[in-house]
Amino acid sequence: MTHLAPEVVGTSGTAHSRTGTGTPAAGPVSSPSVARRPWTSRRRVLAVAEGVVSLTAALGYMLLSRRIDVNPIVRLGQVSGLATLQMYAALIGLPLLGLLLYTAHRGPDRRHQLVKRLVCAALAGLATGVIAGGIVVALHGTPHPLGGQEGDPGVLIDMANSFLHHEGMSGIYPPAFPALMALWAKIRYNGRGETGFALHDLQIFFTAVAGPMAYLAWRILLRPFWALLIAVPAAVLFLDPIRPYSHIVMIVLLPLLGYWLREMRLAGRRATRHLLLRGLVLGVTFGALFLWYSGWYIWAAPGALMAALFFFPWRQGAATAKKAGLYIGVTLLSAGIVGAPLLYQMARLGAENPDRYAFLAVYADPGYVLGWVSDRSGSLTYQTWPVAGEMAGQSGFALLLLFGVGLGLGLGLRNIMVRTAAAVLAGAWLARFWFAGHMTQDKAIQLYPRTTWIIMYCLMILAVLGMMAVVNRGSGWIERVLRPRSAEAGSASGSASGAGLARVIPLRVVRQLAAGMVCVVALFATMGASWSVNRYMPSSDVDTMGIDAYRAHVIKQRDGSCPRFSPRENCWDIEKDDWKPGPIQDFIWCAGIVADDWPGVCGMEAPKRVRSRADIERDAEAERQTRKDATQTEKDARKR
């Protein structure tokens, strides 16, 4: 497992590099004082620099996108906005990639390593900065959030209103984000009634910082390129701008869990004070993430418990076991104290809050875990989604991903993050089928389709770490097998010429190849971000994700007027309700199923408020007739 910052090039530490890109052993060197070392070789300074660069790229791009002035309701305006976003990304990203390629081909290795880590950090920020910029474009002209006042955003707004009234927590929902909404509404918008405006700001902000948070979390364990290779696809694929705080927790939780397990396994080599301090910091972090969004803890818990039992230093003596026990105790205690409010609510109200909401992912094959659709699935049905692949229903992407997972399990199993991801995957897999298997008996969904995300995330982690293992072992094998005997003898004797001939693959070639792969990841990030943004462009179709941005444009502003690009003359009023627990039904609500199909899909007759096919056809005919009358009225007016 690599560290946050690579060792200084030229020191003996690089001889043990596990990425296959370290320099040959240079032998013992004199240890200069820290004061005389270049600032670019200090790990903490470099870590802070990476964080600053990544956040600056994300937030700076988000602010730059505010200059895009298009009508987001019109499709041509949406296309112009998407194109401008890509142009801005190119203007910022191409010089960075050019600098990376230049230092890979010319100049010292130390300079290239510094440039590479800062460029990777910037690209991680740009990836989600583009998505945040797209949300800025989609909401251009309205102060309201994605979703308006409907669905989950409406619930969050009501919860924030309740916090402003000092009514405490709203059921068992994680309270941190609604509380932050209330605080920001009070600071920025003068309190109650404007919590929707606060949600608008926070949706964009946390969408932007998702990439930097994912990248920095993985940098605890991996070198820049590998951290980027996991963080960018995960952030682009899983990020949901309506609730960006949710998936940030999932993406960050797994590398933190792997780091925590690594420290426990190395308890015998750590000072007690060091262990207690890290246990405290990690415990507070886990508790804060639990208050931010707790759902992922349910799916990760079985695997985490299994991994902790496996990694505990049982055979390293009583002293080591005691230190590891203290480390676990401090972590659990601090996490429990921070998360106590939500833990108390769950213990008090958990049994009274079953999840009975079904949508397309509930009706589909539960064995499919490589794709996701929300409750706004358009024209898809469980008969048409997922689309069957060529090999036993599996697509080419699925087979390639599984091949990478096999590499990870086969060649990288000694890597503690491989074992952690595999354990979490196994636990989430079993939990998924346990809840799905008891669904009709318990009349509860219990959010089991969301295990799709964490299972796919674990598969992606294993595949990337499998590629890393191939690079590490392959480069080491090439160096051992193909190295000339004369070079081995010269290297063993310590001669300068022998050391220079020791590498079969020149370090410069490795640098150039890595730089090229970073460019490919950057291209994927821009294309993937544009795909993600396009889904949220405003649309009046209630079965698409664009309805969320559309609803933000049909609510009145603070002065009572409609937003600038509103397609309606009469907009909805701003709601100022507090959160109230809804009625608990005793059956599964089958969303997206017409009344005629409820008996075959849900096993019961549909409630009266569910529309039938006849209702839908009648409404469609009425809408067509309305458009026809409007067209005829316009023609008559022109004749007159």
Side-chain angles (χ1 to χ4, degrees):
M1 194 68 67
T2 55
H3 298 295
L4 177 63
E7 294 84 359
V8 181
V9 175
T11 64
S12 59
T14 54
H16 305 286
S17 171
R18 299 187 184 181
T19 61
T21 61
T23 58
V29 295
S30 59
S31 56
S33 64
V34 176
R36 294 193 309 187
R37 289 173 58 192
W39 69 270
T40 55
S41 65
R42 300 180 185 177
R43 292 180 57 188
R44 292 183 181 179
V45 173
L46 291 173
V48 172
E50 282 187 85
V52 170
V53 167
S54 192
L55 289 171
T56 300
L59 298 177
Y61 186 94
M62 180 265 291
L63 294 174
L64 179 63
S65 65
R66 296 170 66 90
R67 298 173 56 88
I68 302 175
D69 187 9
V70 296
N71 182 350
I73 300 297
V74 179
R75 182 55 187 171
L76 291 182
Q78 297 171 8
V79 173
S80 294
L82 291 170
T84 306
L85 289 169
Q86 291 297 305
M87 183 183 68
Y88 287 170
L91 291 176
I92 298 172
L94 288 178
L96 295 176
L97 297 177
L99 178 62
L100 177 67
L101 291 171
Y102 176 81
T103 59
H105 286 76
R106 295 181 180 276
D109 187 69
R110 186 192 302 277
R111 183 177 67 183
H112 172 70
Q113 295 300 331
L114 173 63
V115 170
K116 183 171 71 173
R117 67 192 306 164
L118 295 182
V119 168
C120 287
L123 292 177
L126 282 176
T128 50
V130 174
I131 300 177
I135 302 305
V136 170
V137 173
L139 298 179
H140 181 50
T142 177
H144 297 285
L146 287 175
Q149 300 172 145
E150 305 294 321
D152 290 346
V155 175
L156 290 171
I157 291 171
D158 293 346
M159 288 181 176
N161 287 335
S162 296
F163 272 104
L164 285 173
H165 279 170
H166 308 289
E167 294 184 2
M169 293 177 57
S170 304
I172 61 172
Y173 196 83
F177 189 78
L180 181 61
M181 283 176 56
L183 178 62
W184 183 243
K186 190 171 184 179
I187 295 174
R188 179 71 175 82
Y189 298 107
N190 301 319
R192 188 171 182 267
E194 285 76 28
T195 49
F197 300 168
L199 179 58
H200 170 280
D201 297 345
L202 296 180
Q203 282 178 341
I204 295 172
F205 175 81
F206 284 106
T207 296
V209 302
M213 292 183 67
Y215 175 77
L216 295 174
W218 279 107
R219 284 292 284 121
I220 297 175
L221 297 171
L222 302 175
R223 292 184 184 272
F225 171 73
W226 300 110
L228 184 73
L229 193 56
I230 295 180
V232 166
V236 171
L237 179 61
F238 298 124
L239 186 60
D240 184 1
I242 298 180
R243 297 173 297 273
Y245 58 92
S246 164
H247 291 80
I248 289 177
V249 173
M250 182 192 75
I251 295 172
V252 170
L253 179 62
L254 262 68
L256 289 180
L257 182 60
Y259 180 78
W260 181 79
L261 290 170
R262 187 187 72 176
E263 292 299 301
M264 180 186 69
R265 187 171 181 81
L266 299 177
R269 307 180 190 177
R270 306 291 195 229
T272 303
R273 181 179 178 183
H274 169 95
L275 276 177
L276 295 181
L277 179 60
R278 294 207 175 184
L280 176 63
V281 172
L282 287 168
V284 170
T285 303
F286 287 137
L289 291 175
F290 182 73
L291 293 180
W292 200 242
Y293 193 79
S294 58
W296 307 115
Y297 284 76
I298 298 174
W299 315 122
L305 178 60
M306 180 171 56
L309 293 173
F310 181 80
F311 291 133
F312 191 86
W314 302 100
R315 301 181 180 181
Q316 298 182 24
T320 300
K322 181 179 178 181
K323 290 167 66 174
L326 286 173
Y327 174 71
I328 295 174
V330 169
T331 303
L332 294 178
L333 179 62
S334 54
I337 292 174
V338 174
L342 182 55
L343 290 172
Y344 172 74
Q345 289 287 89
M346 287 181 169
R348 188 170 66 93
L349 303 172
E352 301 175 7
N353 289 268
D355 169 40
R356 305 193 194 277
Y357 183 75
F359 55 100
L360 178 56
V362 177
Y363 317 134
D365 175 15
Y368 181 72
V369 294
L370 295 180
W372 171 262
V373 289
S374 68
D375 53 350
R376 298 184 180 92
S377 52
S379 59
L380 295 175
T381 67
Y382 64 88
Q383 290 97 345
T384 60
W385 183 88
V387 178
E390 305 83 3
M391 183 70 173
Q394 307 308 308
S395 65
F397 164 74
L399 297 178
L400 287 174
L401 182 65
L402 295 176
F403 177 72
V405 172
L407 294 176
L409 295 175
L411 300 179
L413 197 57
R414 298 178 66 181
N415 186 316
I416 198 167
M417 194 60 227
V418 170
R419 301 182 191 181
T420 302
V424 172
L425 170 62
W429 187 271
L430 292 174
R432 175 186 182 88
F433 293 109
W434 168 264
F435 286 114
H438 288 74
M439 176 172 56
T440 56
Q441 176 183 344
D442 299 339
K443 296 181 180 181
I445 309 299
Q446 299 308 96
L447 298 176
Y448 89 80
R450 296 195 179 188
T451 56
T452 300
W453 281 316
I454 197 167
I455 289 173
M456 190 172 181
Y457 186 36
C458 290
L459 292 173
M460 292 168 58
I461 293 170
L462 291 172
V464 171
L465 296 181
M467 288 188 287
M468 189 176 77
V470 169
V471 172
N472 292 347
R473 292 201 178 192
S475 59
W477 181 84
I478 291 174
E479 294 295 333
R480 290 193 304 270
V481 174
L482 302 182
R483 182 181 302 157
R485 294 181 179 274
S486 58
E488 291 182 1
S491 178
S493 63
S495 64
S497 60
L501 295 174
R503 292 192 62 89
V504 174
I505 304 177
L507 182 60
R508 186 176 298 277
V509 173
V510 177
R511 287 163 38 183
Q512 295 166 2
L513 178 60
M517 297 307 296
V518 170
C519 294
V520 171
V521 175
L523 181 60
F524 166 81
T526 56
M527 296 168 64
S530 187
W531 162 83
S532 180
V533 168
N534 185 53
R535 299 177 299 163
Y536 290 95
M537 286 299 168
S539 170
S540 59
D541 187 351
V542 296
D543 292 325
T544 66
M545 299 174 74
I547 189 63
D548 292 307
Y550 182 87
R551 286 170 173 166
H553 288 275
V554 296
I555 305 174
K556 292 179 181 178
Q557 302 182 96
R558 181 181 289 178
D559 60 3
S561 63
C562 286
R564 176 183 171 187
F565 300 108
S566 176
R568 295 186 180 182
E569 295 182 359
N570 299 317
C571 294
W572 300 334
D573 293 327
I574 297 177
E575 297 178 359
K576 301 181 179 182
D577 300 328
D578 292 339
W579 180 82
K580 297 290 189 298
I584 299 176
Q585 57 196 23
D586 60 353
F587 61 93
I588 294 178
W589 180 266
C590 293
I593 303 297
V594 296
D596 312 76
D597 294 338
W598 267 64
V601 176
C602 312
M604 58 176 289
E605 294 293 328
K608 293 183 179 180
R609 58 184 182 275
V610 179
R611 297 194 302 168
S612 65
R613 288 191 181 89
D615 297 329
I616 297 173
E617 292 174 358
R618 183 176 60 252
D619 294 344
E621 180 61 30
E623 185 178 352
R624 285 193 295 269
Q625 186 62 41
T626 300
R627 288 199 301 267
K628 183 178 179 181
D629 294 342
T631 302
Q632 186 62 43
T633 301
E634 184 178 354
K635 289 181 179 179
D636 295 341
R638 289 178 179 176
K639 290 180 180 180
R640 289 195 297 268

